[in-house]
Structures are given as C-alpha cells and as structure tokens.
Amino acid sequence: DCDYTGCSRNQLVLHNDDAIDIERQPQFGFIQVIKEDPIFKVHNGIVLIRELIRELKFKDPDLLNSLLTVPVPMCSYGINYDGENKKRLVVKEPILSKDSDGYKVRFDFERINFYYKEKNEKQPYEESKMIFDFLQYANGIKKALFLEVGDILIQNNKETLHDRDECSIELGTNGKLNSREILVSFAR
C-alpha cells in the first residue's frame, strides 16, 4: 500500500536522493531497517565518490572529464513523493562537479530514463555509453553492507551513491504481505 514510487522490490541502481533538487539536494541521508526481508539477505551498496575519482584519474581520465562537463537530463514530477508541488522538473547538469570542498555527484538513473521515456526520444549513444562506463567503475568499487533491524546507514548524499539488492515479498497464511521495510530521511 505504499504511495512512494521508491517502494520497489526490484534492485535499485546506484543513485543519490533528491538529485533533481538543484537548490536543496539533501546533504545527508539516513536509511534505517525496520523489518528484514523474509527470504533474501538484502544488501545496500555504497560508493564514495572520492574513491571513484581516484580510480578514474588514472584509469579513464577522458571519462572523468566527460562526467564533469557533459550535462545529463533528469525529469521528475515533484522532488520527492510527499512534496505538495508536483510540477514537472527537468535538470540538465553533469553527473560530477567540483567545488572548494571537493567532488560532488548528482545521479538518478531512473529519472534519466524517465526524461527520455516522457519525451519519447532515444537517449544519445554517447550519453548512454558514458553512464554505462560510469556505473561499471562505480559498481567495481562499491562496498556491500548488510543492515540488520535497527541499523542506520548515514551517508553524505552529495559525495556518495547508494543502492539496494532486490527484495522479496512473502504472503503469510493470514493473507498479509511481508517484506523488508526501511525508513529514509534527509538533512539539508
């Protein structure tokens, strides 16, 4: 009965939360496990962007340059599920940026795909290849974390990406559905 589009049993691709929010993207994200998955040992993954930058500087400086300079579109109706403003938002920013505090990331694969689906356009090959290569490197250095009930993952939302394995759903003899439950919150 979840009204949040993020309620999914499918695997979640690496992303950071509210990437569509140019002015107020959360600085920190908190994920707390309320109920474990009844069947699978579900892992959350995390990628530190500083480690990804270090890898790209030596292994693929051209990709790093593209990630810092090529704008990628993302589309959403509202910033998050419980916001009152549901107007269409489109952001066209590079995936990586650098400021005086270091490198930052802004990436949501689903919102990139939604942009092209809504426009009924095919994503340019060069952009698609850049994202594919970016995710290959990111997944190569990703750390897998198993969070038990009560555990809280706190991450710098602008300097990390996170994901989640596929979850299961169990139908109990009483007709109730059982699945993994988490609480997610942010600090701007």
Side-chain angles (χ1 to χ4, degrees):
D1 295 339
C2 183
D3 61 356
Y4 173 41
T5 56
C7 291
S8 171
R9 292 181 306 278
N10 297 329
Q11 178 180 2
L12 298 179
V13 176
L14 286 166
H15 65 282
N16 53 357
D17 292 313
D18 289 358
I20 199 92
D21 191 342
I22 289 291
E23 297 170 10
R24 298 186 60 226
Q25 181 186 5
Q27 179 70 38
F28 297 100
F30 306 85
I31 300 171
Q32 182 177 18
V33 177
I34 303 303
K35 187 166 44 168
E36 289 181 20
D37 190 280
I39 298 171
F40 298 140
K41 187 173 177 108
V42 178
H43 289 87
N44 288 83
I46 192 141
V47 173
L48 300 175
I49 292 306
R50 68 177 178 266
E51 290 180 10
L52 180 64
I53 296 295
R54 199 172 5 217
E55 179 119 343
L56 291 174
K57 278 183 178 179
F58 296 103
K59 291 187 176 177
D60 202 335
D62 290 336
L63 175 60
L64 176 58
N65 183 59
S66 294
L67 293 167
L68 286 163
T69 58
V70 176
V72 175
M74 293 185 283
C75 181
S76 179
Y77 283 87
I79 290 172
N80 53 45
Y81 81 99
D82 61 354
E84 291 180 16
N85 186 348
K86 299 293 183 193
K87 74 175 186 176
R88 182 175 185 267
L89 300 170
V90 174
V91 172
K92 290 186 180 180
E93 297 285 328
I95 292 171
L96 298 177
S97 62
K98 186 176 181 187
D99 64 18
S100 60
D101 295 327
Y103 288 93
K104 306 289 187 257
V105 63
R106 181 181 302 278
F107 182 74
D108 190 319
F109 188 72
E110 300 302 326
R111 288 179 172 175
I112 294 168
N113 287 339
F114 184 63
Y115 174 86
Y116 288 106
K117 181 180 178 182
E118 185 188 63
K119 290 189 70 89
N120 198 25
E121 291 180 4
K122 186 174 180 180
Q123 184 180 32
Y125 173 80
E126 296 80 15
E127 182 181 288
S128 181
K129 174 79 166 103
M130 179 183 71
I131 291 169
F132 175 83
D133 292 343
F134 166 70
L135 286 172
Q136 290 289 102
Y137 279 106
N139 280 311
I141 64 168
K142 177 174 67 176
K143 308 289 188 275
L145 308 168
F146 175 70
L147 303 175
E148 297 178 350
V149 170
D151 287 349
I152 301 175
L153 172 63
I154 303 170
Q155 83 272 356
N156 183 322
N157 188 54
K158 294 180 179 183
E159 296 177 9
T160 63
L161 295 170
H162 63 278
D163 68 4
R164 188 208 67 221
D165 289 343
E166 182 177 17
C167 295
S168 69
I169 191 164
E170 176 184 67
L171 179 60
T173 55
N174 61 1
K176 286 191 155 199
L177 297 177
N178 183 24
S179 188
R180 183 178 197 242
E181 290 182 29
I182 62 170
L183 288 178
V184 177
S185 59
F186 311 108
R188 286 177 160 61

